[in-house]
Amino acid sequence: MTKLRAAITGVQGYVPDYILTNQELSKMVDTNDEWITTRTGIKTRRILKGEGLGTSHMGVKAVQGLLEKTNTKAEEIDLLICATTTPDMVFPATANLIADGVGATKAFNYDVQAACSGFLYSLFTAAQFIETGMYKKVVVVGADKMSSIIDYTDRTTCVIFGDGAGAVLLEGDDSGVGIQDAVLQSDGSGWKHLHQKAGGSRRPPTKETVENREHFVYQEGKHVFKHAVTNMGSSVVELMKRNNLTTADVDWLNPHQANMRIVDATAKSMGLDEGVESDKVMMTISKYGNTTSGTLPLNFWNYEPQLKKGDNVILAAFGGGFTWGAVYLKWAYDGQEIAKREEYKHLLPGS
């Protein structure tokens, strides 16, 4: 009998209504559309507006749509993992708040913090609970309200990030589809190049930390870029070699959308000479920017109608920590069939 694997049986995303354009950003900092587009590939990003609305608000919306689309009852969820770098509060976990918001009263739930690699780490972690038979239905959420920790006077970071959330449902499958393998790595010495200076237990909030604008993303762009290009590419290549995959065997690359040039380099490292122009590369950066933990599931949400059962998909990410890696999975269902159903039209991107 084929090994029981964790298969993605549904995806759903949520992005806020407010669209922050490059033109609007050019009125806030010294930048312009050409500068942003050339260096990042970003045209717009979504921003969550509204008093008291945090990351869990977007996570709840994504999970509610996921449950509706997959005809799953909230009380059927055994486990809910939320990958996030921008939790609503220091505690409780944002996963607790999402589970409560959707009525998943029986779900064991917790957060994973691995910056932009958070969803990747969470997905493979969740798969273990399915493969051991401990749980039958697991929801993995990737969600971040990056606008809450972005300095909109710093043009090197404020042009990059946006807000958004995505969620997937994992269930057991013994037909050969599902998560096949993963290469997950980290290097804690990279923390100094990408972090938030204050707000944690090392440097609790004070009047001085606020005045010095230390509660925002700090990034040494050139250093992060170099490591992202090297490590995302190498993890994908290692994963392909380990599973005897050629470029022709891979139907889709689902890469973290940090920067168009990083995605381009990753695609070329696995043999896709067209880079980001390849029809095998999922690209949403132009309209969402970098949504951190939300990126990979949002990619799936946008490309779901094109995904076919049995498609070989590689996910890749790099984030603060440093954290990085790649996951290889075989897609479990025909997404086009979902997109055709009239009752799910309101759950599609752009609806």
Side-chain angles (χ1 to χ4, degrees), residues 125-198:
T125 300
Q128 313 312 304
F129 289 94
I130 296 289
E131 291 181 8
T132 60
M134 179 171 284
Y135 295 131
K136 296 185 182 301
K137 294 180 183 290
V138 177
V139 170
V140 180
V141 183
D144 270 304
K145 183 183 176 182
M146 291 304 295
S147 62
S148 66
I149 58 170
I150 295 300
D151 183 353
Y152 285 94
T153 68
D154 176 12
R155 76 168 185 169
T156 63
T157 56
C158 73
V159 303
I160 298 171
F161 295 96
D163 302 337
V168 302
L169 176 65
L170 291 177
E171 297 181 271
D173 192 293
D174 61 4
S175 69
V177 299
I179 296 173
Q180 309 290 311
D181 197 8
V183 172
L184 300 174
Q185 297 175 292
S186 57
D187 177 5
S189 67
W191 73 269
K192 54 187 170 290
H193 305 294
L194 180 56
H195 63 280
Q196 182 177 315
K197 294 182 177 182

Side-chain angles (χ1 to χ4, degrees), residues 13-71:
Y14 173 81
V15 289
D17 293 332
Y18 188 86
I19 299 174
L20 178 59
T21 65
N22 289 347
Q23 287 76 15
E24 186 175 351
L25 274 172
S26 69
K27 299 175 183 178
M28 300 161 64
V29 290
D30 181 18
T31 189
N32 56 64
D33 177 67
E34 181 182 6
W35 189 91
I36 298 171
T37 304
T38 302
R39 287 161 177 76
T40 68
I42 302 168
K43 286 288 188 182
T44 62
R45 65 288 290 149
R46 301 298 184 98
I47 304 297
L48 181 63
K49 301 277 190 177
E51 186 176 351
L53 298 182
T55 295
S56 68
H57 172 80
M58 297 183 292
V60 166
K61 294 286 188 181
V63 175
Q64 286 174 334
L66 177 68
L67 297 180
E68 180 181 349
K69 189 188 284 184
T70 58
N71 295 310

Side-chain angles (χ1 to χ4, degrees), residues 101-254:
V102 301
T105 55
K106 298 180 180 179
F108 163 41
N109 47 81
Y110 60 90
D111 286 355
V112 168
Q113 212 292 59
C116 297
S117 304
F119 182 82
L120 201 68
Y121 279 30
S122 299
L123 186 68
F124 197 66
T125 300
Q128 313 312 304
F129 289 94
I130 296 289
E131 291 181 8
T132 60
M134 179 171 284
Y135 295 131
K136 296 185 182 301
K137 294 180 183 290
V138 177
V139 170
V140 180
V141 183
D144 270 304
K145 183 183 176 182
M146 291 304 295
S147 62
S148 66
I149 58 170
I150 295 300
D151 183 353
Y152 285 94
T153 68
D154 176 12
R155 76 168 185 169
T156 63
T157 56
C158 73
V159 303
I160 298 171
F161 295 96
D163 302 337
V168 302
L169 176 65
L170 291 177
E171 297 181 271
D173 192 293
D174 61 4
S175 69
V177 299
I179 296 173
Q180 309 290 311
D181 197 8
V183 172
L184 300 174
Q185 297 175 292
S186 57
D187 177 5
S189 67
W191 73 269
K192 54 187 170 290
H193 305 294
L194 180 56
H195 63 280
Q196 182 177 315
K197 294 182 177 182
S201 60
R202 181 182 293 190
R203 287 177 57 80
T206 65
K207 179 182 178 182
E208 288 71 25
T209 63
V210 173
E211 290 177 345
N212 292 335
R213 309 184 74 79
E214 295 181 356
H215 293 264
F216 300 118
V217 171
Y218 169 79
Q219 176 173 272
E220 295 174 6
K222 290 183 179 179
H223 199 96
V224 173
F225 179 87
K226 176 184 175 182
H227 280 264
V229 167
T230 301
N231 292 318
M232 275 182 66
S234 64
S235 61
V236 168
V237 170
E238 180 181 345
L239 193 63
M240 290 176 66
K241 287 181 178 178
R242 207 156 77 181
N243 291 277
N244 298 313
L245 294 171
T246 66
T247 304
D249 294 326
V250 179
D251 298 291
W252 294 98
L253 171 65
N254 180 351

Side-chain angles (χ1 to χ4, degrees), residues 78-97:
D78 300 307
L79 167 65
L80 188 150
I81 301 174
C82 177
T84 187
T85 300
T86 55
D88 285 35
M89 300 174 245
V90 173
F91 68 91
T94 301
N96 299 161
L97 303 176

